């Protein structure tokens, strides 16, 4: 399964949307986060919505632990923010819950959701913005699969 990654930074919403598809490994996410942090509009305090619904997360407990250590040591990206994971497969739920359980002693506030609406409300947007955020994610998915 080909790995496809896309993102959009929405400064007016203080939000970063990240779309993932294919097999996603710890190193894939680390590289992707580095690329996002180089963008001129990037702000380490923006909340993040990760859309993992088209992805297969390939990780074990040690991968999750080392990824959390990586985050904590990265001065460019490590800040207090809300992180929403949108999932729809047991593997995705397991890995994101594991992340949430192991992220103790970090500034990160993370939750796993099965709906986009739940995620956008949790990161501080209004439910009336659902159509807009959905259209941006659809655009990211389309770009990823060109």
């Amino acid at each position: 399964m080909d790995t496809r990654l896309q993102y959009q930074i929405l400064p007016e919403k203080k939000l970063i949307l990240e779309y993932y598809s294919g097999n996603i490994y710890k190193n894939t996410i680390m590289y992707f986060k580095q690329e996002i942090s180089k963008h001129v509009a990037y702000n380490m305090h923006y909340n993040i919505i990760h859309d993992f619904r088209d992805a297969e997360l390939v990780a074990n407990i040690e991968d999750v632990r080392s990824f959390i250590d990586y985050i904590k040591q990265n001065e460019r990206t490590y800040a207090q923010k809300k992180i929403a994971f949108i999932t729809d497969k047991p593997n995705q739920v397991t890995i994101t819950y594991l992340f949430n359980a192991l992220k103790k002693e970090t500034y990160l506030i993370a939750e796993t959701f099965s709906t986009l609406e739940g995620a956008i409300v949790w990161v501080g947007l209004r439910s009336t913005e659902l159509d807009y955020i959905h259209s941006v994610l659809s655009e990211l998915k389309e770009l990823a699969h060109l």
Side-chain angles (χ1 to χ4, degrees):
M1 197 188 271
D2 286 345
T3 300
R4 309 284 180 144
L5 311 168
Q6 286 290 325
Y7 71 95
Q8 180 72 44
I9 299 173
L10 306 172
E12 70 283 2
K13 310 274 186 221
K14 296 183 168 124
L15 181 69
I16 301 170
L17 292 173
E18 298 179 13
Y19 170 79
Y20 296 80
S21 73
N23 292 328
I24 306 298
Y25 298 87
K26 173 190 77 170
N27 290 342
T28 308
I29 296 175
M30 289 167 53
Y31 171 79
F32 192 44
K33 295 293 187 182
Q34 289 173 352
E35 291 303 304
I36 293 169
S37 73
K38 294 175 186 174
H39 192 280
V40 67
Y42 176 77
N43 184 312
M44 64 194 245
H45 298 285
Y46 287 177
N47 295 322
I48 304 170
I49 295 177
H50 299 85
D51 185 351
F52 287 129
R53 292 175 289 186
D54 293 334
E56 179 71 28
L57 300 178
V58 184
N60 60 36
I61 192 166
E62 288 309 315
D63 291 330
V64 175
R65 276 194 182 113
S66 69
F67 182 69
I68 290 169
D69 289 341
Y70 164 78
I71 291 170
K72 287 169 44 177
Q73 295 169 11
N74 191 329
E75 295 176 0
R76 180 87 174 112
T77 61
Y78 183 52
Q80 186 170 0
K81 63 186 115 195
K82 286 187 172 182
I83 300 171
F85 303 112
I86 306 173
T87 63
D88 66 357
K89 296 178 188 75
N91 161 271
Q92 301 160 346
V93 173
T94 301
I95 298 298
T96 59
Y97 273 117
L98 185 58
F99 176 88
N100 207 13
L102 295 175
K103 69 157 184 57
K104 294 176 172 79
E105 300 175 20
T106 72
Y107 298 136
L108 307 174
I109 307 162
E111 287 293 333
T112 301
F113 298 89
S114 60
T115 66
L116 177 58
E117 184 173 16
I120 69 167
V121 169
W122 187 76
V123 297
L125 300 177
R126 295 181 306 277
S127 59
T128 56
E129 297 178 276
L130 176 62
D131 288 342
Y132 171 67
I133 299 299
H134 180 17
S135 70
V136 174
L137 277 174
S138 293
E139 205 174 285
L140 294 177
K141 181 175 181 173
E142 188 176 310
L143 286 170
H145 293 282
L146 286 178

